[in-house]
Amino acid sequence: MAVVGFDIGFQNNYIAVAKVITFCFLITNSKNTVFNFKRFHGRSFDDIIVQSERANVPYDLVPVNDGRVGAKVMYLDKEHQFSIEQLTAMLLTKLKDTAEANIQKKVVDCVISVPTFFTDAERRRVLDAVQIAGLNCLRLMNDTTAVALSYGIYKEDLPSPDEKPKIVILVDMGHSAFQVSACAFKKGKLKVLATAFDTHFGGRDFDQRLVEYFCTEFNAKYKLDVKSRVRALLRLQQECEKLKKLMSSSSMDIPLNIECLIDEKDVSGKMNRSHFEELCADLIERVTVPLVTVMEQAELQVQNVSAVEIVGGGTRIPAVRAKIAKFFGKDVSSTLNADEAVARGCALQCAMLSPAFKVREFSITDVTPFPISLSWSTEGDECHEVFGKNHAIPFSKIITFYRKNPFILEVSYSDPSSLPYPESKIGKYHTQLLFLAVVRIFSQEMYTLFISSKWDSPPTQVNLQF
Ligand SMILES: Nc1ncnc2c1ncn2[C@@H]1O[C@H](COP(=O)(O)OP(=O)(O)OP(=O)(O)O)[C@@H](O)[C@H]1O
Ligand SMILES: *[C@@H]1O[C@H](CO)[C@@H](O)[C@H](O)[C@H]1NC(C)=O
Ligand SMILES: *[C@@H]1O[C@H](CO)[C@@H](O)[C@H](O)[C@H]1NC(C)=O
Ligand SMILES: *[C@@H]1O[C@H](CO)[C@@H](O)[C@H](O)[C@H]1NC(C)=O
Ligand SMILES: [Mg+2]
């Protein structure tokens, strides 16, 4: 019996496997084969995010199933159209096979990470993919919460229950997104105080600056229009990413040479760290925005922060680290493995949820970054916010209705304009003829209503319809 954590990144996927008895970890990485579709879950083909990403993917996006976005890809030597859920399922299957081949055991139970800003609809699409892949996802875990668990579980010096909590800021800059959370740690416990994010900001934006620079330079120097050739542009992007990584460990001039970029023409250029930082000055400034937000929302001052832990490949850029350190007025720490922390946190969570494992207890309280409202109709619409911004999750609330006639209950995000997603509805429930309904909203990654017709009868669980 093995339990597994999957971190499906925009660029890299990590699998962490926890094994019984020894509880050792095995981590594997795999690059996406068909990649960059992580941000398309449940979106329509016309969605602006989809359309703006179209140029960045090396395959064709097509409308499938009622106008949802899908992709045209070669599979078993034939061209096929797949929905994003199918692609995700194929990826999960590949990760599962990799894990099974490594540990010689069957993998079914898993925990999968998702960005903290994924809405209910996106999370459901991920769960659809899990089902197609034949896996059993015990929980979806927020990226930075997984990092927080990896951070806290083996720390021996956490405050006891009656002491002040240790405040730690967790920062994850990946290829496509930037996420920050403020957490309060005590022995055996972590509470997320607030999360903040820049949903379209990550390592690739820094690559893109280099691409723009060299496109202009090659145009002037060789009269080559790299942007007009898809393959040439992709090669330049890859070389620029390599260059960016090299600049993280060297401040000297680094050459960029590409043979036969366009029409047999070889090109060359160079770049160094200080010049790169000039080109990316505004991106480096942008790093502080979510840091300010998370501190405001958690009602913290920098002097309250005991540690700033950074993960994700993007935090290897020296200027990004320096900016974070400057903001908090202290050195950032990277005690966790920057690449594996998310997958490891997921595997730990999976082990905790699995009866086959004995892991030390660690309680996690997360937050919802988007306020959630409940509305109901019969005699005029009424709407109430049930979970405000950064409300603790899981949490249940009891709301009582006195109604003679059937009515409709709707759960939705309160502020559609703050969502990084076009759908604000979460669920809808048509109540039967009830004289009295007690509704308990227990919110985790799924929204469930508990309805009963009498005060003292146990509420029945009702799954929300779409
Ligand atoms: N040494 C380095 N210096 C600078 N950038 C690096 C370095 N190593 C990796 N990166 C960058 O980190 C990014 C990948 O990080 P990571 O694997 O955390 O992303 P991801 O999890 O796939 O994406 P996301 O979390 O956005 O879904 C890429 O942009 C990569 O170029
Ligand atoms: C970095 O590049 C700039 C612009 O080409 C140049 O002026 C500077 O001297 C270079 N610095 C180093 C350390 O090579
Ligand atoms: C944060 O620091 C301030 C000033 O040092 C202090 O008054 C406050 O209690 C601290 N808050 C927390 C949550 O530790
Ligand atoms: C992750 O965040 C979502 C909303 O952002 C929340 O509903 C969910 O409970 C969190 N996940 C966990 C495992 O706590
Ligand atoms: Mg990531």
Side-chain angles (χ1 to χ4, degrees):
M1 178 72 175
V3 291
V4 169
F6 292 121
D7 168 14
I8 313 239
F10 194 81
Q11 186 182 61
N12 302 295
N13 307 298
Y14 285 89
I15 315 166
V17 181
K19 294 193 225 164
V20 202
I21 305 164
T22 49
F23 202 73
C24 73
F25 270 94
L26 174 133
I27 303 246
T28 28
N29 180 24
S30 93
K31 282 258 173 195
N32 291 351
T33 32
V34 177
F35 43 89
N36 299 11
F37 55 81
K38 169 173 174 176
R39 309 298 287 276
F40 295 158
H41 286 288
R43 290 185 190 263
S44 70
F45 180 70
D46 305 326
D47 186 286
I48 42 170
I49 302 283
V50 172
Q51 289 304 320
S52 68
E53 292 279 351
R54 237 179 136 171
N56 302 331
V57 293
Y59 46 84
D60 286 333
L61 295 176
V62 287
V64 293
N65 318 340
D66 329 321
R68 288 244 189 95
V69 64
K72 214 193 269 180
V73 291
M74 293 300 286
Y75 180 67
L76 303 175
D77 292 334
K78 270 179 76 185
E79 203 175 72
H80 288 268
Q81 292 193 356
F82 293 109
S83 67
I84 301 305
E85 292 71 54
Q86 283 171 321
L87 287 174
T88 309
M90 285 152 80
L91 174 61
L92 283 168
T93 305
K94 186 179 146 215
L95 299 180
K96 173 182 142 156
D97 292 347
T98 309
E100 287 179 344
N102 265 289
I103 56 171
Q104 303 290 316
K105 284 197 181 91
K106 222 176 144 40
V107 167
V108 178
D109 289 350
C110 63
V111 166
I112 301 175
S113 69
V114 290
T116 44
F117 53 82
F118 259 25
T119 57
D120 190 67
E122 288 163 295
R123 287 163 197 261
R124 279 171 194 271
R125 297 295 87 79
V126 173
L127 292 174
D128 290 346
V130 169
Q131 204 166 33
I132 301 172
L135 285 162
N136 179 32
C137 180
L138 301 181
R139 182 162 298 175
L140 291 178
M141 199 171 193
N142 295 320
D143 282 337
T144 45
T145 310
V147 176
L149 178 57
S150 295
Y151 179 88
I153 194 153
Y154 295 122
K155 283 267 178 307
E156 297 297 344
D157 59 347
L158 295 178
S160 53
D162 52 334
E163 288 176 305
K164 271 189 128 180
K166 176 175 180 177
I167 308 288
V168 181
I169 306 294
L170 303 147
V171 181
D172 178 359
M173 183 184 277
H175 193 51
S176 74
F178 184 45
Q179 307 178 63
V180 188
S181 79
C183 291
F185 288 91
K186 285 192 179 183
K187 237 176 213 74
K189 238 185 213 166
L190 87 84
K191 185 172 190 301
V192 182
L193 301 174
T195 59
F197 31 75
D198 191 333
T199 59
H200 287 87
F201 180 44
R204 64 174 177 165
D205 296 288
F206 292 85
D207 302 345
Q208 201 50 38
R209 281 299 154 86
L210 293 172
V211 169
E212 293 292 337
Y213 174 82
F214 287 110
C215 278
T216 310
E217 182 172 301
F218 295 161
N219 208 334
K221 203 162 145 188
Y222 306 104
K223 299 270 168 294
L224 288 181
D225 181 10
V226 184
K227 286 191 180 168
S228 68
R229 305 287 184 93
V230 178
R231 270 201 55 80
L233 188 59
L234 276 173
R235 278 185 71 197
L236 179 60
Q237 270 164 357
Q238 281 162 4
E239 292 305 316
C240 285
E241 188 184 2
K242 277 188 211 154
L243 177 63
K244 173 189 73 175
K245 290 182 183 172
L246 289 171
M247 284 190 290
S248 295
S249 47
S250 163
S251 55
M252 294 293 113
D253 274 348
I254 296 172
L256 176 116
N257 300 308
I258 310 177
E259 284 176 13
C260 304
L261 183 63
I262 293 178
D263 303 332
E264 314 283 301
K265 258 206 187 116
D266 300 345
V267 298
S268 66
K270 66 175 168 53
M271 181 56 61
N272 63 41
R273 194 191 286 170
S274 65
H275 190 188
F276 175 56
E277 288 174 0
E278 263 171 48
L279 294 176
C280 299
D282 60 321
L283 294 179
I284 294 159
E285 279 308 312
R286 197 166 154 184
V287 168
T288 44
V289 181
L291 305 180
V292 171
T293 310
V294 88
M295 295 300 280
E296 274 174 12
Q297 300 206 344
E299 294 176 16
L300 292 170
Q301 272 112 46
V302 289
Q303 60 268 27
N304 297 123
V305 175
S306 303
V308 181
E309 184 73 26
I310 57 168
V311 299
T315 58
R316 292 202 176 97
I317 299 172
V320 169
R321 298 172 87 103
K323 195 76 194 173
I324 300 169
K326 185 162 176 247
F327 178 86
F328 290 104
K330 58 158 51 74
D331 283 344
V332 293
S333 53
S334 29
T335 54
L336 297 172
N337 180 307
D339 299 315
E340 301 171 359
V342 173
R344 190 178 283 264
C346 289
L348 280 164
Q349 176 72 84
C350 194
M352 287 172 177
L353 295 169
S354 165
F357 274 77
K358 258 191 131 62
V359 191
R360 67 170 70 181
E361 287 293 310
F362 207 87
S363 117
I364 302 177
T365 312
D366 214 324
V367 294
T368 168
F370 310 117
I372 294 168
S373 292
L374 192 62
S375 61
W376 50 90
S377 65
T378 39
E379 302 105 35
D381 281 352
E382 276 192 81
C383 183
H384 280 264
E385 192 159 288
V386 281
F387 296 110
K389 194 172 172 69
N390 292 320
H391 195 291
I393 297 262
F395 194 90
S396 61
K397 275 192 181 175
I398 296 180
I399 298 162
T400 313
F401 295 92
Y402 299 92
R403 290 283 185 285
K404 288 203 183 65
N405 298 309
F407 64 104
I408 295 170
L409 272 176
E410 263 185 50
V411 187
S412 52
Y413 291 112
S414 317
D415 179 13
S417 66
S418 76
L419 283 187
Y421 197 78
E423 179 59 70
S424 62
K425 295 223 177 340
I426 295 171
K428 193 176 199 173
Y429 182 71
H430 299 258
T431 67
Q432 306 305 315
L433 248 179
L434 294 176
F435 294 102
L436 175 77
V438 180
V439 180
R440 271 180 78 211
I441 305 160
F442 178 76
S443 177
Q444 210 159 4
E445 45 274 343
M446 291 292 215
Y447 299 85
T448 311
L449 296 182
F450 294 86
I451 300 215
S452 69
S453 52
K454 287 201 199 89
W455 270 112
D456 49 359
S457 63
T460 36
Q461 183 173 329
V462 180
N463 289 318
L464 295 169
Q465 297 161 6
F466 279 83

